[in-house]
């Protein structure tokens, strides 16, 4: 029975085992296939993540903005500098006045002496170390520069330049990269203590930290603690979106493990220090502790106190939530929590922490804007850069651009231009059509061809239309000096005493229409000297002179002196029928200030890459030259414009300082100009309406006083007009243009004029000869 039963059992079970075997075999292949496919897909997935990590981490990690700097302040014996200008520059650099000026970024001014300690900085020609020096000033110049410690003389030193703006990546991220060795030890310790205490031991993901955070959150009934490591936070910011999905969290964990597998802790920590989001202003996002130090305290990271470092560390948890400018109470509580963590972990002594806890938040009350404080100048920089660099390079390669801007001159220009225009509008009654009056101005260093300051709007901070560069306006009489210069280069034919005809004139233009120029006052004076015609800005005499020498000669001279276009050779050119920008006018006047040498205006000195390697150097470029003797004669006449001519208001404002320049007024009073120079600067001022409406203003009553106000602000260095070896001086009767020798002449108007290459009049004026023949004159000479 059992055997039979067994037999029956076998017979019935055999087919079942076959089916199970077949099913089991098929299932084995299915599971194996799924497992193999899963491993393959997983491998590809991990490999893709690994490649993404390596490409980003080993390549260019960040799109870095180009940073644009002003020129550095150079200190050496003999340099023109006032105590006020030195203090202004140091405060602009956020230097602090302290009792001894011994710390980095500190100064102390006492009377005519200053003590200061600079910060190290890398320029195009190398690294400038920090200096702790004493600077003595006297009569508007540096008398000496000596080391504070040893008293040794310093021949030349540079103060770090002012950052005047940046050219940001398209996504608006702003950061200053820091090397981990440059980061204060307390900051790194505080960051690990508050954010990831097991950073040095975990491998990217910390199960202990996750569990601890989960328990804390359950107890609190809300999220009070995060379990993410610094590595995970870096991955989230560096590679991933902020979507709170399971897939993103899985990617974050896998990539954190891969990152820790590929790179050491030091590299990961340095990347985090430069990547973490720490603030926002408009479209500009503040990333990294280097930029955050500037954003909240306007100082380098290594100059911050313990309480300031703690605040920055606290912001890593949530920069918007703990924003110290908007939520100071939250920010203080978060800062204090970081400080307590530093005390708990032994990173800082208890007494230091207590002092830090007692310190009030002292973030800069003014949020540094992403846009430049000097929009017109930065606009000019970008225009010049585009000739050599693509826009993407400027936005992502971390270039450092050193410009020619003088911060003190720039700020004085802005301040005095606004004051001068406001005073002008107020004097004209206010509430009038002049409320819409616009302005632009340029100041250059003519010898170096460098643009020192630019204002493109009556509101210097407005970042829109840059009139100093873009506004092409008729220049009026500011072009006249070049007509006279073209004549004076031929001293055998023309001098300042040459008589010109200031009588009615009608000319046939090339297209057949007649042109009848008129003087501003509609008066005619007959024969006048070239000196008087220029100083008093007589139109008809100037047109006749241009016709006499050939208008093509005037065009040629303008191009020799740097004009980058070819104006139509029409007689009206002599009266300013050409549209130029204030910057172009400044370029032409540089040649006059340089004694005839034309220098191309430039705003950039050097461009460095992010590794401080020189990419471009922009040096002095000479464009052409004319006779220095002729320029000297012209400068004498332009000085007289500011004393007794159309710009005479300047003399009173500048207390008799020797300057030179020319007014300009266009038809129907649409444009008012003054262009001029002293021994160090060329300055050009334009006033007018954007829609070309008449202003009712002449250059003499509007632009000239504003120009004088600007020059008074930046400091005038008088021209030295005497002493040229090829020039002699002679009295001239202005009625006849002839020589006057005697002091007791009978001439109505005599002017002492300069002459080049013995070109003074040989014939004595009749009014001078009469004095010789009169009995009174003979008697007086007998008993002298």
């Amino acid at each position: 029975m059992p055997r039979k039963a067994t037999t029956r059992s076998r017979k019935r079970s055999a087919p079942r085992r076959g089916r199970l075997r077949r099913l089991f075999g098929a299932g084995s292949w299915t599971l194996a296939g799924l497992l193999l496919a899963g491993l393959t897909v997983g491998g590809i997935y991990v490999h893709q993540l690994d490649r993404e990590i390596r490409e980003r981490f080993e390549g260019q990690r960040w799109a870095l903005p180009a940073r644009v700097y002003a020129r550095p302040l150079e200190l050496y014996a003999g340099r023109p500098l006032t105590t006020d200008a030195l203090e202004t520059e140091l405060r602009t650099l956020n230097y602090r006045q302290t009792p001894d000026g011994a710390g980095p970024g500190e100064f102390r001014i006492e009377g005519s002496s200053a003590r200061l300690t600079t910060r190290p900085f890398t320029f195009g020609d190398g690294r400038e170390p920090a200096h702790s020096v004493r600077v003595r000033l006297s009569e508007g110049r540096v008398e000496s520069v000596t080391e504070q410690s040893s008293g040794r003389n310093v021949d030349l030193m540079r103060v770090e330049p002012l950052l005047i703006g940046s050219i940001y990546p398209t996504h608006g991220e702003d950061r200053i990269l820091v090397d981990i060795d440059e980061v204060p030890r307390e900051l790194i310790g505080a960051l690990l203590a508050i954010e990831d205490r097991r950073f040095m031991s975990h491998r990217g993901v910390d199960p202990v930290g996750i569990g601890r955070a989960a328990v804390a959150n359950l107890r609190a009934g809300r999220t009070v603690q995060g379990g993410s490591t610094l590595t995970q936070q870096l991955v989230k910011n560096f590679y991933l979106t902020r979507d709170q999905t399971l897939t993103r969290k899985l990617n974050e964990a896998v990539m954190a493990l891969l990152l820790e597998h590929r790179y050491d802790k030091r590299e990961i920590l340095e990347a985090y220090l430069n990547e973490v989001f720490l603030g926002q202003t408009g479209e500009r996002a503040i990333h990294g502790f280097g930029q955050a130090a500037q954003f909240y305290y306007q100082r380098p990271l290594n100059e911050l106190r313990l309480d300031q470092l703690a605040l920055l560390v606290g912001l890593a948890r949530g920069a918007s939530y703990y924003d110290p400018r908007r939520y100071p109470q939250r920010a203080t509580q978060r800062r204090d929590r970081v400080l307590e963590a530093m005390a708990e972990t032994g990173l800082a002594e208890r007494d230091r922490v207590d002092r830090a806890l007692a310190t009030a938040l002292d973030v800069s009350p003014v949020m540094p804007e992403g846009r430049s404080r000097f929009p017109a100048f930065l606009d000019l920089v970008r225009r010049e850069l585009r000739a050599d660099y693509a826009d993407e390079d400027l936005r992502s390669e971390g270039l450092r651009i050193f410009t020619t801007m003088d911060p003190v001159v720039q700020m004085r220009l802005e301040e005095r231009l606004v004051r001068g225009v406001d005073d002008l509008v107020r004097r004209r009654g206010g509430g009038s059509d002049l409320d819409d009056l616009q302005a632009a101005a340029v100041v250059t260093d003519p010898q170096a061809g460098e643009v020192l300051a630019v204002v493109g709007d009556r509101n210097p901070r407005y970042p829109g239309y840059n009139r100093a560069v873009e506004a092409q306006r008729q220049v009026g009489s500011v072009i006249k000096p070049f007509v006279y210069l073209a004549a004076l280069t031929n001293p055998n034919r023309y001098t300042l005493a040459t008589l010109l005809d200031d009588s009615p004139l009608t000319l046939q233009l090339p297209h057949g229409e007649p042109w009848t120029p008129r003087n501003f006052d509609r008066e005619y004076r007959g024969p006048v000297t070239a000196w008087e015609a220029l100083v008093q800005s007589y139109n008809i005499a100037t047109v006749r002179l241009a016709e006499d020498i050939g208008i093509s000669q005037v065009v040629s001279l303008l191009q020799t002196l740097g004009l980058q276009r070819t104006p139509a050779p029409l007689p009206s050119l002599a009266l300013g029928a050409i549209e130029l920008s204030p910057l172009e006018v400044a370029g032409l006047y540089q040649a006059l200030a340089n004694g005839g040498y034309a220098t191309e205006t430039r705003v950039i000195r050097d461009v460095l890459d992010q590794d401080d390697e020189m990419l471009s150097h922009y040096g002095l470029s000479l464009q052409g030259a004319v006779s220095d003797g002729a320029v000297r004669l012209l400068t004498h006449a332009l000085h007289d414009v500011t004393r007794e001519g159309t710009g005479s208001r300047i003399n009173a404002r500048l207390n008799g300082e020797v300057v030179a320049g020319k007014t300009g007024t266009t038809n129907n009073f649409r444009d008012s100009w003054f262009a001029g120079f002293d021994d160090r600067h060329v300055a050009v001022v334009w006033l007018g309406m954007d829609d070309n409406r008449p202003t009712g203003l002449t250059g003499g009553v509007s632009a000239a006083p504003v120009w004088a106000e600007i020059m008074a602000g930046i400091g005038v260095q008088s021209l030295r007009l005497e002493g040229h070896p090829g020039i002699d001086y002679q009295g001239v009767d202005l009625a006849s243009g002839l020589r006057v020798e005697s002091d007791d002449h009978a001439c109505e108007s005599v002017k002492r004029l300069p002459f080049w290459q013995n070109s003074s009049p040989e014939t004595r004026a009749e009014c001078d000869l009469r004095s010789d023949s009169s009995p009174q004159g003979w008697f007086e000479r007998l008993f002298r």
Side-chain angles (χ1 to χ4, degrees):
M1 290 290 297
R3 185 176 299 171
K4 289 181 181 178
T6 301
T7 303
R8 286 196 302 268
S9 174
R10 283 177 184 171
K11 286 181 181 178
R12 286 194 297 267
S13 63
R16 189 180 304 162
R17 282 201 304 270
R19 287 196 302 272
L20 288 174
R21 189 181 299 112
R22 287 194 298 274
L23 286 172
F24 181 77
S28 297
W29 282 107
T30 300
L31 289 174
L34 289 173
L35 181 61
L36 180 61
L39 290 173
T40 302
V41 172
I44 294 172
Y45 165 75
V46 172
H47 176 74
Q48 179 64 29
L49 292 182
D50 185 53
R51 187 176 69 176
E52 184 177 342
I53 286 173
R54 285 185 287 112
E55 286 179 352
R56 179 79 185 271
F57 210 79
E58 296 173 8
Q60 181 179 346
R61 299 180 188 176
W62 297 283
L64 300 176
R67 301 196 181 275
V68 184
Y69 296 90
R71 65 96 186 94
L73 173 63
E74 295 182 337
L75 296 176
Y76 54 88
R79 185 200 196 282
L81 186 67
T82 64
T83 304
D84 178 62
L86 176 60
E87 182 173 356
T88 298
E89 182 126 9
L90 293 177
R91 290 193 182 279
T92 302
L93 289 166
N94 294 308
Y95 274 49
R96 296 171 295 181
Q97 180 143 246
T98 61
D100 56 8
E106 296 180 351
F107 74 98
R108 176 73 177 177
I109 292 181
E110 299 172 315
S112 60
S113 177
R115 287 175 287 173
L116 64 135
T117 302
T118 65
R119 305 174 177 118
F121 194 87
T122 301
F123 294 94
D125 57 358
R127 186 168 179 79
E128 183 88 15
H131 297 276
S132 186
V133 298
R134 187 181 187 92
V135 182
R136 298 184 186 276
L137 302 107
S138 176
E139 298 181 352
R141 290 186 177 273
V142 175
E143 187 178 275
S144 65
V145 183
T146 56
E147 293 180 353
Q148 287 201 58
S149 57
S150 66
R152 291 188 304 174
N153 284 329
V154 176
D155 294 331
L156 172 67
M157 61 162 283
R158 291 175 292 190
V159 181
E160 71 272 18
L162 173 69
L163 177 66
I164 63 175
S166 298
I167 302 173
Y168 295 105
T170 305
H171 48 71
E173 290 186 6
D174 192 12
R175 56 171 54 78
I176 297 174
L177 293 185
V178 294
D179 187 285
I180 195 170
D181 293 328
E182 301 170 352
V183 177
R185 179 185 64 84
E186 290 94 341
L187 186 146
I188 295 176
L191 182 66
L192 298 183
I194 201 73
E195 290 291 334
D196 190 356
R197 293 192 181 186
R198 289 169 46 81
F199 175 75
M200 299 307 298
S201 59
H202 66 65
R203 302 304 300 169
V205 177
D206 183 14
V208 175
I210 293 172
R212 184 174 59 246
V215 171
N217 295 338
L218 284 172
R219 286 176 177 174
R222 59 189 177 90
T223 302
V224 296
Q225 195 175 120
S228 295
T229 65
L230 286 185
T231 311
Q232 286 176 279
Q233 293 178 39
L234 176 62
V235 166
K236 179 172 61 179
N237 292 335
F238 218 32
Y239 299 98
L240 303 175
T241 67
R242 296 186 178 274
D243 298 336
Q244 296 297 320
T245 64
L246 182 61
T247 301
R248 192 201 63 76
K249 295 295 290 184
L250 176 62
N251 285 344
E252 177 187 301
V254 174
M255 294 177 84
L257 293 170
L258 290 170
L259 196 64
E260 294 258 3
H261 174 70
R262 287 284 183 186
Y263 305 102
D264 62 36
K265 294 286 187 179
R266 180 185 175 86
E267 291 176 287
I268 294 170
L269 183 57
E270 184 177 80
Y272 180 89
L273 293 170
N274 285 300
E275 171 60 24
V276 60
F277 171 74
L278 294 173
Q280 185 85 31
T281 171
E283 297 180 355
R284 175 179 170 231
I286 307 303
H287 285 262
F289 288 96
Q291 185 62 56
Q294 292 289 346
F295 182 68
Y296 292 105
Y297 298 108
Q298 298 188 34
R299 306 191 68 76
L301 185 61
N302 60 8
E303 292 183 16
L304 299 189
R305 302 187 307 265
L306 188 67
D307 60 291
Q308 295 170 329
L309 294 173
L311 175 65
L312 297 188
V313 169
L315 292 174
R317 177 62 57 88
S320 299
Y321 185 80
Y322 296 109
D323 185 341
R325 293 190 178 97
R326 297 178 62 193
Y327 310 111
Q329 185 174 356
R330 287 182 195 170
T332 301
Q333 292 173 349
R334 181 63 182 165
R335 180 204 67 176
D336 293 351
R337 173 70 188 91
V338 175
L339 287 170
E340 291 292 354
M342 296 177 75
E344 292 170 8
T345 55
L347 288 169
E349 299 81 0
R350 186 72 240 182
D351 59 337
R352 286 187 68 203
V353 170
D354 289 341
R355 288 196 299 272
L357 288 168
T359 304
L361 290 181
D362 63 346
V363 297
S364 170
V366 179
M367 185 184 300
E369 296 184 8
R371 64 187 186 188
S372 174
R373 293 170 52 194
F374 312 105
F377 196 96
L378 188 61
D379 173 68
L380 187 54
V381 170
R382 295 182 71 158
R383 289 169 185 270
E384 191 165 307
L385 284 170
R386 286 192 185 113
D388 299 310
Y389 294 92
D391 193 58
E392 184 58 31
D393 294 334
L394 301 177
R395 292 179 177 275
S396 63
E397 296 296 327
L399 303 182
R400 296 202 300 145
I401 300 150
F402 295 91
T403 74
T404 61
M405 192 187 90
D406 184 315
V408 174
V409 174
Q410 177 71 36
M411 288 186 287
R412 295 288 189 270
L413 172 62
E414 294 175 358
E415 171 194 343
R416 296 305 179 100
L417 180 71
V418 171
R419 179 192 300 180
V421 176
D422 287 350
D423 287 347
L424 173 65
V425 174
R426 188 164 46 250
R427 289 197 309 270
R428 303 289 288 195
S432 67
D433 290 341
L434 288 186
D435 288 344
D436 296 327
L437 186 68
Q438 267 298 345
V442 177
V443 178
T444 73
D445 173 352
Q447 294 183 356
E450 295 184 336
V451 178
L452 303 180
V454 179
V455 172
D457 192 279
R458 184 173 164 184
N459 174 8
R461 297 286 181 265
Y462 184 69
Y465 185 49
N466 187 355
R467 294 165 187 82
V469 181
E470 296 182 79
Q472 302 287 316
R473 307 293 291 238
Q474 285 204 356
V475 297
S477 295
V478 295
I479 207 71
K480 286 179 180 175
F482 301 97
V483 176
Y484 288 84
L485 180 59
L488 292 171
T489 55
N490 185 357
N492 296 323
R493 186 176 176 188
Y494 301 101
T495 70
L496 290 175
T498 298
L499 289 181
L500 304 176
D501 184 6
D502 189 49
S503 60
L505 172 68
T506 297
L507 296 173
Q508 291 297 128
L509 298 180
H511 50 70
E513 293 184 6
W515 179 57
T516 303
R518 294 182 177 86
N519 289 325
F520 177 76
D521 59 5
R522 298 297 195 268
E523 297 291 331
Y524 303 98
R525 293 163 182 82
V528 294
T529 62
W531 174 86
E532 184 180 358
L534 176 57
V535 170
Q536 300 301 334
S537 201
Y538 296 153
N539 290 340
I540 299 174
T542 303
V543 171
R544 288 187 185 275
L545 177 61
E547 286 289 288
D548 194 30
I549 61 178
I551 197 68
S552 60
Q553 292 298 108
V554 178
V555 172
S556 177
L557 177 84
L558 290 170
Q559 292 180 321
T560 298
L561 299 185
L563 185 65
Q564 299 295 314
R565 64 184 76 182
T566 304
L570 298 174
S572 57
L573 176 64
L575 303 184
I578 179 176
E579 295 181 346
L580 300 176
S581 69
L583 181 65
E584 289 176 299
V585 173
L588 292 173
Y589 271 74
Q590 282 188 162
L592 305 184
N594 278 337
Y597 290 94
T599 53
E600 183 178 3
T601 55
R602 59 193 175 103
V603 295
I604 302 172
R605 290 181 175 180
D606 299 309
V607 178
L608 275 61
D609 65 16
Q610 67 183 73
D611 297 319
D612 297 325
E613 294 294 325
M614 179 75 75
L615 297 179
S616 304
H617 173 73
Y618 298 77
L620 178 66
S621 175
L622 293 175
Q623 294 180 305
V626 296
S627 164
D628 67 327
V631 172
R632 184 64 66 96
L633 302 185
L634 180 67
T635 301
H636 273 273
L638 294 179
H639 169 53
D640 291 335
V641 168
T642 69
R643 293 199 312 168
E644 52 194 297
T646 56
S648 58
R649 294 169 184 253
I650 288 173
N651 190 57
R653 178 65 182 87
L654 297 182
N655 300 316
E657 296 278 10
V658 182
V659 297
K662 186 69 185 73
T663 56
T665 309
T666 61
N667 289 340
N668 297 321
F669 304 99
R670 288 190 174 94
D671 303 276
S672 301
W673 295 82
F674 192 87
F677 52 94
D678 67 359
D679 199 50
R680 290 187 299 167
H681 303 114
V682 166
V684 176
V685 172
W686 168 85
L687 304 175
M689 301 289 188
D690 285 338
D691 60 5
N692 250 347
R693 278 182 292 139
T695 64
L697 302 172
T698 66
V701 302
S702 60
V706 173
W707 185 91
E709 188 69 31
I710 291 168
M711 294 301 290
I714 65 179
V716 176
Q717 186 76 29
S718 282
L719 292 165
R720 297 182 291 271
L721 296 181
E722 309 291 334
H724 191 286
I727 291 178
D728 57 85
Y729 295 83
Q730 178 61 54
V732 171
D733 169 34
L734 293 181
S736 64
L738 299 179
R739 188 184 195 93
V740 175
E741 294 181 352
S742 58
D743 294 334
D744 54 351
H745 58 77
C747 306
E748 290 186 11
S749 183
V750 174
K751 179 68 180 179
R752 182 174 176 266
L753 294 177
F755 294 89
W756 179 40
Q757 294 183 350
N758 302 314
S759 60
S760 60
E762 296 180 359
T763 305
R764 289 180 67 184
E766 184 178 345
C767 53
D768 188 33
L769 291 171
R770 284 203 305 269
S771 65
D772 287 345
S773 59
S774 68
Q776 183 180 0
W778 177 85
F779 183 79
E780 289 178 354
R781 286 192 302 277
L782 181 64
F783 290 98
R784 275 181 187 159

